[in-house]
Amino acid sequence: MYRNIYLLFLWIAPVCLCGTADAQQKKNALEQLKTGFINPPDAAKPGVYWYFMDGNLSAKGIREDLSAMKAAGIGHVIFLEVNVGVPRGRVNFLSKEWLLLFKQLENEAEKQGIAVTLGIGPGWAGSGGPWVSPELSMQHLVSSSINVTANDPGPLLLPVPPPKRPFFGDGALTPGLTRIRNNFYKDVAVLAFPTPAPGENISDIDNRALYYRAPFSSANNVPAYYIPVSGNNASEGTAIQKATVIDLTDRFTADGKLHWKPSSGTWTVMRFGVRNNGAGTRPAPLPGLGFEADKFDTLALSRHLNFYVGKILKAIGPVNKRKAGGLKALHIDSWEMGAQNWTKNFRQEFIKRRGYDPLPFYPVYAGRIIGNAAISDRFLWDLRKTAMDLVLERHALYVKKYAHRNGLQLSIEPYDMNPTADLELGACADIPMCEFWSSGFGFNTQFSCVEASSLGHLQGKPVIAAEAFTAQNNEAWKQYPGSMKNQGDWAFAAGINHFFYHTYQSQPLPDSLKPGMTMGPYGVQWNRNQTWWPMVGSYHQYIARCSYLLQQGNTVADILYLTPEEAPFVFTPPASALKGNNDLKDRKGYNFDACPPGLLKKAWVQNGKICFPGGASYYLLVLPWYPAMSESLLQKISSLIAQGATVVGPPPQKAPGLSGYPLSDAVIQKQVAALWGPLLQEAAITKRKVGKGQLIWGKALEHQMDQLYCNYEVLAGILQGEKISENFSSDQPIRYTQRKLIQADLFFISNTTKDFRTASCRFRTGKKKAELWDPLRGTFMPVHALQRTGQQIVMDISLLPEQSYFVVFTDLPTTTITPISNAPQTDTLTGSWSVSFDPKWGGPAQTTFNSLTDWKDNADKGIRFYSGIAVYRKTFDAPALFNKKGPAYLDLGDVKYLASVRLNGKDLGVLWTVPWRVDVAPWLKEKNNLLEVSVANLWINRLIGDQQFPDDGVKDGRWPSWLLEGKPRTSNRFTFTTFNPYKKNDPLISSGLLGPVTLVRER
């Protein structure tokens, strides 16, 4: 496999990584790295979303869940209680018994060394509950209007503004909460203005004014950001003139009457008031249903945290920082509670932050144009910017302070209906998080992985986490470790280094009832009731090894995309910077990150690279094709260029918002003229020296834009012109990511195909020696005879289907190995096998297979419909050639879907992906070798087979009486689950050991 490997030596420009170490220190550090790689620490082990279903929890279930996690190599859980698709349990959320069980959970997690992260509210949507009053809930500024003349009799009765329809529909709240919502209303202001001529209102106003924010990943036509309206003209007489807007609030009485009428003409009177936005905790346990707390108000958030997190903290006692297990963090999950645009002090906060009174612009909330379309759009920018400021300061950072005060960290998943900028919200976290759905079983949220990894890299966060392999509907027990490897490797290459599998559904039911509890149709079934759970530890060890190495050092990337000052904003990587299929897009040769304006403030320049406190550095800063930029951000960019940075991109045309307008535009235009200078008129792509740095622009770039940014090929050409080689390239479809450590340069690479590939790979590194580290086996292989050529090392690497390696470059001595030559000797194990199935799941306790055949084709229904583990046994003699010294392997051929191997009583481990082989040389005998291969398939066949029998499961939202009363089942079904989408005639899936099983000796 490793034949024909060669290397060439290379030099690389220095990066912004502080600190030096002598040779012995580097050697010690490398040895520690290898030790951690072989046996990763608990912090590197993967985690799970641990869901409890509305009161269905028990002490036994908690204990056995955590014990099973520990045995399987799970090191972390995110605790959430929800209600999706199962009947209610008997333990009411936040009751005394519930809190006692949570204390037991905490104690057991401490005992098992499993870290716990707690979602900050019931359900997964956000922060709220029945303790949130409408006054402290998320709010909208709503309005009604009437037209009046001097001849209308007074006083005028103004209609009460109705609430906006809840984003998730009228069923988003219970009938009781809906009544409370409908009854809640508070007046804010009454404004009047001369009625303009009929004209167009502001398009998409409900979204631009933050009444709604649809999910970017799953809804149609949701913009990633809004482009500012250009121009300053409005149709004659169709816009409201700001100077004509009068405040009549003091003329309005509590009975809804306005004691005013115009002296002449027709006027429009608008009544503005506060309504709840319709967001409820979802999908929360019934006792946790309530309004979402106000995201602009620390009082509302503090009260919520005291009612929920505070009760839990009081129940479990002080956090024990010395122990690896137990409560360690709070968590804000994906933003799914919609948008708000008001809070009780919003007008005052707006004035303080934007420098002007928003009152005359309230009609813009309703889509009316004041001044002209561009002026109104600037106000909406200010509205959204103020809302984002409040969410960051009064919500995310407040939760962070609360967490730190209690000895905890905070993780944030800053998407998917986020009305702020994803990157700015995520930057508030100690642990940035994202989500990726199982390929083919849900939505495409790859963009969120780029966002989270960028934040981790820029801020020097060692852990970048992901809600991993989320799924829905037709997943239905189809996923298993082998089917997930390629996408997991994609996530590693994308910058993710800590998986939280979605989902481990807590299993409080008796062990005989499997697959057991699900979260309706959602999630990969990642729990102790899986057929293959006893074997999953080997896969988790692979994930932990990869995670451990990828949590070391700093990323190496050359391109930094600056995002605009816009909310909402979702960073979607330019398509030209990616390669591969739509489901799994990989980086091209030059790696990149995205940077929000809030983090660029912390950057400086060293040796021509833009550096950040966390250790990341970049050669190019790429500006967005976005017309507006604040004076402070433009000044920061100017400063970086003066210090030596290379910046690529167009000049802004104006300032955003109305603060300081119109002078603010003139200031921006003056700064642009000074910075871009002659480039503003240049047609071709041109460099302009500014201070120690340079600015690259030219109108030709206008035709080479990819979404918001310059086309990747343009940027690659600039880097090549600066004699900066790609991070990585290959003549085969190989993905990569690169990290720089003090003691080594580290590359993770993986074969993206299901074919064997020998790839010529080029690595940018200044180190002199290389090793291949195999995360599947935990082994190391030095590569010798290195030569230096130009800026890159070239290495031929042979990769099996979807195989991965770490290529580690150092300047330290490496061990030698004996090369393997000549073709391998093989010998197929033929004849019959004794096979044992578990009768508890319908299979025969003992049978004979004359040859290795597929279970689904067996005449015995107990085998055909079997799901679980079966043990194959065979006694064989080894050919004389295999008794000589040298490597000898057992190759299982085709396995559906995991297998563990024992030879002569020795446990040789679990196989779950290629290569399906284990080393047998130390334990192979000349005669009478006893081989035992345990094979696990999936639940699908048994679920299909059970549909032949009467359904005795959950009906009408109730647990079956036999279960509640402890009586035996009579349906003849073997399985029990809260979700079974299969029909009795659905096709069965291949299962078992299919072989051929061979002995392989390399000579």
Side-chain angles (χ1 to χ4, degrees), residues 432 451-464 554 614 616 739:
E451 291 179 329
S453 60
S454 295
L455 293 172
H457 298 159
L458 291 167
Q459 297 177 290
K461 306 289 187 183
V463 176
I464 303 167
N554 296 102
R739 297 188 70 79

Side-chain angles (χ1 to χ4, degrees), residues 7-11 766-768 786-790 792-793:
L7 288 174
L8 301 175
F9 188 66
L10 116 110
W11 172 89
K767 306 297 182 182
K768 301 176 182 177
L786 307 187
Q787 295 179 353
R788 184 193 302 253
T789 175
Q792 290 184 316
I793 283 180

